[in-house]
Amino acid sequence: MMARYYFDLVDNGTSYPDTEGTELPSLGAAEDEAAKALLEIAKDQMPEGNFREVALHVRAGASKPHVW
């Protein structure tokens, strides 16, 4: 059974909640997706090594986004 996971982005203190989510088979798969997404963000958005504080918070379907 697949569960819906949401990936809320925090970029330099600004929160961008995921409103759609992604169906994945497990929390481990969601954590893998978050790691891949962070690598892509670093590669695409910070190519010159500029400092930014970026985080992805993974939450399960029933939980509400956290306000940072």
Side-chain angles (χ1 to χ4, degrees), residues 44-63:
D44 295 341
Q45 304 296 322
M46 298 181 259
E48 296 161 14
N50 298 335
F51 178 80
R52 279 170 71 179
E53 188 171 321
V54 179
L56 273 177
H57 299 276
V58 179
R59 60 185 167 90
S63 63

Side-chain angles (χ1 to χ4, degrees), residues 9-61:
L9 175 66
V10 179
D11 186 356
N12 278 337
T14 302
S15 182
Y16 301 94
D18 178 358
T19 58
E20 294 182 26
T22 303
E23 287 192 359
L24 295 164
S26 66
L27 178 59
E31 290 171 341
D32 289 345
E33 284 296 313
K36 289 177 195 173
L38 284 171
L39 286 172
E40 287 297 314
I41 290 168
K43 184 178 83 175
D44 295 341
Q45 304 296 322
M46 298 181 259
E48 296 161 14
N50 298 335
F51 178 80
R52 279 170 71 179
E53 188 171 321
V54 179
L56 273 177
H57 299 276
V58 179
R59 60 185 167 90

